[in-house]
Amino acid sequence: MAAATPFIWPVRVYWEDTDAGGIVFYANYLKFFERARTEWLRSLGLGQQALRERTGGMFVVTDTHLQYRSPARLDDLLHISATVTELGRASITLKQEARMYDAGCAENAHGTLLCEGTIRIGWVLEDSLKPQRLPPDIALALQPQVPPHT
Amino acid sequence: MAAATPFIWPVRVYWEDTDAGGIVFYANYLKFFERARTEWLRSLGLGQQALRERTGGMFVVTDTHLQYRSPARLDDLLHISATVTELGRASITLKQEARMYDAGCAENAHGTLLCEGTIRIGWVLEDSLKPQRLPPDIALALQPQVPPHT
Amino acid sequence: MAAATPFIWPVRVYWEDTDAGGIVFYANYLKFFERARTEWLRSLGLGQQALRERTGGMFVVTDTHLQYRSPARLDDLLHISATVTELGRASITLKQEARMYDAGCAENAHGTLLCEGTIRIGWVLEDSLKPQRLPPDIALALQPQVPPHT
Amino acid sequence: MAAATPFIWPVRVYWEDTDAGGIVFYANYLKFFERARTEWLRSLGLGQQALRERTGGMFVVTDTHLQYRSPARLDDLLHISATVTELGRASITLKQEARMYDAGCAENAHGTLLCEGTIRIGWVLEDSLKPQRLPPDIALALQPQVPPHT
């Protein structure tokens, strides 16, 4: 059985994303990764504002590990992936990557890896911020995203 | 003769854009407006990184006046407009708006105005940051964007 | 009677504040100005989180007009001022400036003006975000800050 | 021989730092940690803008691993530490923490741990962004910061 195809979300680099080194400020990859996670959840019918209003719970980020491989610059178009690696009772772990592709460059078919990382998000009650088991319908929507042998 | 149709760019509200008031942090409308200006320039063949490499010049923001009308929240989809109101020798002035539309709501055909403002950008030399006349080809590309009687 | 002495708050420029132009990203002056307003309010006994918990209201920014005069760079130390120019029933208007000083430079006694602007903040109910008259004790604490003939 | 005392830098939480969950947006801890590293380097005579102008090199972040333990809110005063754990030929690894202290609370003498992490920064040439051995005078200034048995 094949692994789940990663969800991909395009992100364009604007002035706001860069720093005086002339490259994307490293903290902003956390923002890019979150945009991709948000759109991935939305694609599964899990809009976060709606979830929050319906359940009184929300996802919070509990662990981030990022490695920076190659810099991106103003106007670059990045492709951000999100792939579930683990679905726990109260948390989800994802592998995420930022890649850039050169149009028409056969040697660069997989793109250039800019940044990769592991992000864990936990489900908490909105008021107390206490960890909580994932609501059954959310767990159910996420289940097919989990790779088979993990 | 009709005024130029405004350029519109969609912007989704993510966690990064909000603050503890539960709404979009006001400074971020400057980012949203810039994304729309950047894509508007790109649509005219004026990618800013390419401009900079070719001419040694770049646009800098010299004046911003924003008025906040109505708040936006997580997951809202905003439409950001950019319309030239004045093309000077060394600067461009734009009127920009952020609006939100309710799907299928006839009374809300023009959307809800969230934020509107005037932004002036000037052309400067990259090294000295000194104001400089707009390069002729840039002025030429921008000319058709200027409304007729302004 | 003399005008109120402006409140001054120091802000250091870090990598996070800069952009690929090598200078402070213009939207960040709104953040710097807000830090100074927050500390100015705190100096008057008006901590915003405490205000919110006590009154159910909060300040929101309703109008910002900024003019950019001179760029700042990484490691620069800025001095941000905040001076009330108008105290309304439900809003406060402030004049704010960002300046930089050269140590031991007599010609530069007033510093270099980097950015100046006018900011209006309004008092709203936290839940509805509807404008509301300033609570009497807040108005009372602010009154001595207002210049005499404005 | 005692381990090096950690460098501590205070950071106040402003509106800009929070998100709609009512807490500090997790990506911003990377900014807080960097402010503390920058001030730690400055305390050793290593101002980054001056370093860059003098050597043509700069530090870039190559690896970040953050764990989020407890949330912080608007107006909270955080204490950010920075302690070298490893000094390589072309990189420095630091352990960093964000803590919050309750005034006059004996049980909370070590504060509440909000976020902790490991950050690796590498020295690169400014133009090529290629890794480069740390200049001897920088390595010399950093040497006394390294704990004895690491």
Side-chain angles (χ1 to χ4, degrees):
Chain A
M1 201 178 144
T5 308
F7 179 88
I8 306 277
W9 188 253
V11 166
R12 180 71 73 169
V13 176
Y14 297 111
W15 283 103
E16 65 185 89
D17 303 311
T18 60
D19 70 18
I23 60 179
V24 169
F25 183 60
Y26 63 97
N28 291 335
Y29 285 95
L30 285 179
K31 297 185 179 180
F32 299 166
F33 283 8
E34 181 169 282
R35 295 181 202 171
R37 287 197 308 277
T38 296
E39 298 299 343
W40 164 73
L41 285 169
R42 197 191 317 283
S43 75
L44 301 175
L46 302 172
Q48 291 182 76
Q49 181 67 20
L51 278 189
R52 199 173 159 180
E53 286 162 11
R54 180 165 64 80
T55 68
M58 61 180 185
F59 286 113
V60 294
V61 172
T62 59
D63 197 299
T64 65
H65 189 177
L66 263 57
Q67 293 173 291
Y68 300 91
R69 302 302 189 187
S70 191
R73 291 186 169 75
L74 186 65
D75 280 342
D76 283 346
L77 181 62
L78 314 188
H79 290 76
I80 315 294
S81 68
T83 317
V84 178
T85 57
E86 201 184 327
L87 178 60
R89 289 192 170 190
S91 72
I92 313 172
T93 306
L94 298 105
K95 173 86 173 84
Q96 298 203 254
E97 291 182 349
R99 287 183 179 272
M100 191 162 53
Y101 295 86
D102 284 340
C105 175
E107 293 85 54
N108 191 236
H110 296 288
T112 302
L113 180 60
L114 306 174
C115 177
E116 61 182 325
T118 304
I119 310 284
R120 197 175 62 195
I121 57 178
W123 184 257
V124 300
L125 290 183
E126 185 185 349
D127 291 331
S128 65
L129 297 173
K130 292 244 186 287
Q132 193 81 357
R133 210 171 167 152
L134 279 165
D137 60 321
I138 298 180
L140 203 66
L142 291 168
Q143 196 58 54
Q145 302 298 313
V146 185
H149 300 299
T150 308
Chain B
M1 202 179 146
T5 308
F7 179 88
I8 306 278
W9 188 254
V11 165
R12 180 71 74 168
V13 176
Y14 297 111
W15 283 104
E16 65 184 89
D17 303 312
T18 61
D19 70 19
I23 59 179
V24 168
F25 183 61
Y26 63 98
N28 291 336
Y29 285 95
L30 284 180
K31 297 184 178 181
F32 298 166
F33 283 9
E34 181 168 282
R35 294 181 202 171
R37 287 198 307 277
T38 296
E39 297 300 342
W40 164 72
L41 286 170
R42 197 191 317 281
S43 75
L44 302 174
L46 302 172
Q48 291 182 77
Q49 182 66 20
L51 279 189
R52 199 173 161 181
E53 286 163 11
R54 181 166 63 80
T55 68
M58 61 179 183
F59 286 112
V60 294
V61 172
T62 58
D63 197 301
T64 65
H65 188 177
L66 262 57
Q67 293 173 293
Y68 300 91
R69 304 301 190 187
S70 190
R73 289 184 171 77
L74 186 65
D75 279 343
D76 283 345
L77 181 61
L78 314 187
H79 289 77
I80 314 294
S81 69
T83 317
V84 179
T85 57
E86 203 186 326
L87 179 59
R89 288 192 169 190
S91 73
I92 313 172
T93 306
L94 297 105
K95 173 87 173 82
Q96 297 203 254
E97 290 183 349
R99 288 182 178 271
M100 191 161 54
Y101 296 86
D102 283 341
C105 175
E107 292 85 54
N108 191 235
H110 295 288
T112 302
L113 181 60
L114 307 174
C115 177
E116 61 183 324
T118 304
I119 310 284
R120 197 174 62 195
I121 57 178
W123 184 257
V124 300
L125 289 183
E126 185 185 350
D127 291 331
S128 64
L129 298 173
K130 292 243 186 290
Q132 193 82 356
R133 210 172 168 151
L134 279 165
D137 59 322
I138 298 180
L140 203 67
L142 291 168
Q143 195 57 56
Q145 302 297 315
V146 185
H149 300 299
T150 308
Chain C
M1 201 179 146
T5 308
F7 179 88
I8 305 276
W9 188 253
V11 166
R12 180 71 73 167
V13 176
Y14 297 111
W15 282 103
E16 64 185 89
D17 303 311
T18 60
D19 71 18
I23 60 179
V24 169
F25 183 60
Y26 62 97
N28 291 336
Y29 286 95
L30 285 179
K31 297 184 178 180
F32 299 166
F33 282 10
E34 181 169 281
R35 294 182 202 171
R37 286 197 308 276
T38 296
E39 297 299 343
W40 164 73
L41 285 170
R42 197 191 316 282
S43 74
L44 302 174
L46 302 171
Q48 291 182 77
Q49 182 66 19
L51 279 189
R52 200 174 158 179
E53 286 163 11
R54 179 165 65 79
T55 68
M58 62 179 185
F59 286 112
V60 293
V61 172
T62 59
D63 197 302
T64 65
H65 189 176
L66 264 57
Q67 293 173 292
Y68 301 90
R69 303 302 190 187
S70 191
R73 290 185 171 76
L74 186 66
D75 280 342
D76 284 345
L77 182 61
L78 314 188
H79 290 77
I80 315 293
S81 68
T83 317
V84 178
T85 56
E86 202 185 327
L87 179 60
R89 287 190 171 192
S91 72
I92 313 172
T93 305
L94 299 105
K95 173 88 172 82
Q96 298 203 255
E97 291 183 349
R99 287 182 178 271
M100 192 162 52
Y101 296 86
D102 283 341
C105 175
E107 292 85 54
N108 190 235
H110 295 288
T112 303
L113 180 60
L114 306 175
C115 177
E116 60 183 324
T118 304
I119 309 285
R120 198 175 61 196
I121 57 177
W123 184 258
V124 299
L125 290 183
E126 185 184 350
D127 291 331
S128 65
L129 297 173
K130 291 244 185 288
Q132 193 81 358
R133 209 171 168 152
L134 279 165
D137 60 321
I138 298 181
L140 204 67
L142 291 168
Q143 196 58 55
Q145 302 298 314
V146 186
H149 300 297
T150 308
Chain D
M1 201 177 146
T5 308
F7 178 88
I8 306 278
W9 188 252
V11 166
R12 180 72 73 168
V13 175
Y14 297 111
W15 283 103
E16 66 185 88
D17 303 311
T18 61
D19 71 17
I23 59 178
V24 169
F25 183 61
Y26 62 98
N28 291 335
Y29 285 95
L30 285 179
K31 297 185 179 180
F32 299 166
F33 283 9
E34 181 169 283
R35 294 182 202 171
R37 287 198 307 277
T38 296
E39 298 299 342
W40 164 73
L41 285 169
R42 198 191 316 282
S43 75
L44 302 174
L46 302 172
Q48 291 181 77
Q49 182 67 19
L51 278 190
R52 200 173 159 181
E53 286 163 11
R54 179 166 65 80
T55 67
M58 62 180 184
F59 285 112
V60 295
V61 172
T62 58
D63 197 300
T64 66
H65 188 177
L66 264 56
Q67 292 173 293
Y68 300 91
R69 303 302 189 188
S70 190
R73 290 184 170 76
L74 186 65
D75 280 342
D76 284 345
L77 181 62
L78 314 187
H79 290 76
I80 314 294
S81 68
T83 317
V84 178
T85 57
E86 201 186 328
L87 178 60
R89 289 192 169 191
S91 73
I92 313 172
T93 306
L94 298 105
K95 173 86 173 83
Q96 298 202 254
E97 290 183 349
R99 288 182 178 271
M100 191 161 53
Y101 296 86
D102 284 340
C105 175
E107 293 85 55
N108 190 236
H110 296 288
T112 302
L113 180 59
L114 307 175
C115 177
E116 61 183 321
T118 304
I119 310 285
R120 197 174 63 196
I121 58 177
W123 184 258
V124 300
L125 290 182
E126 185 185 349
D127 291 331
S128 65
L129 297 173
K130 291 244 186 290
Q132 193 81 358
R133 209 171 169 153
L134 279 165
D137 59 322
I138 298 180
L140 203 67
L142 291 168
Q143 196 57 56
Q145 302 298 314
V146 186
H149 300 298
T150 308

